[in-house]
Amino acid sequence: MSRYFFLSLWMIFSAAHADEKTTANDAHDLAYSLGASLGERLRQEVPQLQIQALVDGLQQAYQGKPLALSEARIEQILADHESQNAEHSAQPSSDAAMENEQRFLTAEKAKPGVKELADGILLTELTPGTGTKAGPDGKVQVLYVGRLPDGTVFDQNTQPQWFNLDSVIAGWRTALQNMPVGAKWRLVIPSDQAYGADGAGDLIAPFTPLVFEVELRGATS
């Protein structure tokens, strides 16, 4: 139940009063209808709501009486509740995200030509390479495109770029030490070898596997 909900409710009350007929029956029916509409919404949105406290707050505010809570306390409670609701509705549960990841990885593993490296990293060789390989503390020069499971590009470069292997995600460190210069691989990296349960800001959600096409142009040990 957010402040937007109360704003909507206030608009309902305002519109209803604007059209209200001034008969006793209409006044009763209007009040009952508003209460029924509010009750239905609250039953869905706040199932454990204390009805008597709701009635007390509604009555005191409607009659202009002093409220049991300060305005600052009320605003804070409503803001916290709104934030919790928004967080709950905006992000899928961890269990659902992990199930989605496992389905994606299983489907990727079943594709022709896919090989599995350590830690569940999947590779498909697009172009073979015959050059040297990087050491664990070495550097790599790469061209790459990074995609989310739905194909959205979240990162790429257009010119070969050097990286220290100790500064990249774990999945890259593992894969690129197995990759000879001149090779181009498609890599599928599980989330625990990328950004894990934390994700990366708004760009990469928690428990998101990543897909890279990487071309290794140079390597040092």
Side-chain angles (χ1 to χ4, degrees):
M1 183 175 57
S2 68
R3 286 172 288 178
Y4 299 109
F5 172 81
F6 282 102
L7 177 60
S8 299
L9 181 62
W10 178 84
M11 293 173 68
I12 292 172
F13 270 88
S14 299
H17 280 294
D19 295 334
E20 182 180 357
K21 307 292 185 182
T22 57
T23 68
N25 284 341
D26 285 342
H28 172 275
D29 290 352
L30 172 65
Y32 186 87
S33 298
L34 289 171
S37 177
L38 175 60
E40 175 65 24
R41 295 190 187 189
L42 292 175
R43 181 176 63 82
Q44 296 174 7
E45 297 187 17
V46 196
Q48 303 303 318
L49 185 67
Q50 296 184 22
I51 299 299
Q52 187 55 54
L54 169 70
V55 171
D56 291 344
L58 177 63
Q59 186 173 35
Q60 289 166 5
Y62 187 81
Q63 294 176 349
K65 294 180 179 180
L67 301 179
L69 299 176
S70 68
E71 182 176 348
R73 173 67 173 154
I74 291 172
E75 284 294 317
Q76 184 60 54
I77 290 171
L78 295 179
D80 290 346
H81 188 75
E82 179 182 336
S83 176
Q84 290 173 5
N85 280 352
E87 189 175 310
H88 178 74
S89 61
Q91 295 187 5
S93 69
S94 296
D95 288 345
M98 288 189 285
E99 287 175 6
N100 290 337
E101 176 176 19
Q102 286 307 309
R103 280 195 294 269
F104 178 76
L105 293 174
T106 298
E108 288 292 321
K109 192 181 298 187
K111 291 181 177 179
V114 172
K115 300 176 183 178
E116 187 169 356
L117 298 175
D119 301 316
I121 298 163
L122 305 177
L123 78 88
T124 305
E125 186 179 69
L126 304 177
T127 304
T130 58
T132 59
K133 297 179 181 179
D137 300 317
K139 295 182 178 181
V140 291
Q141 185 188 43
V142 294
L143 276 172
Y144 69 92
V145 178
R147 292 185 172 87
L148 303 178
D150 65 1
T152 301
V153 174
F154 68 88
D155 191 16
Q156 65 180 323
N157 63 3
T158 56
Q159 297 293 328
Q161 190 172 353
W162 283 97
F163 294 97
N164 292 321
L165 279 183
D166 61 5
S167 69
V168 298
I169 60 174
W172 265 41
R173 285 199 298 274
T174 298
L176 291 174
Q177 288 181 67
N178 286 276
M179 191 176 187
V181 170
K184 183 177 181 180
W185 287 358
R186 181 179 185 270
L187 299 173
V188 178
I189 298 179
S191 64
D192 64 2
Q193 299 299 307
Y195 296 99
D198 295 329
D202 295 331
L203 198 61
I204 299 172
F207 302 108
T208 299
L210 303 178
V211 180
F212 290 93
E213 287 185 8
V214 181
E215 181 179 350
L216 185 60
R217 294 290 189 87
T220 69
S221 57

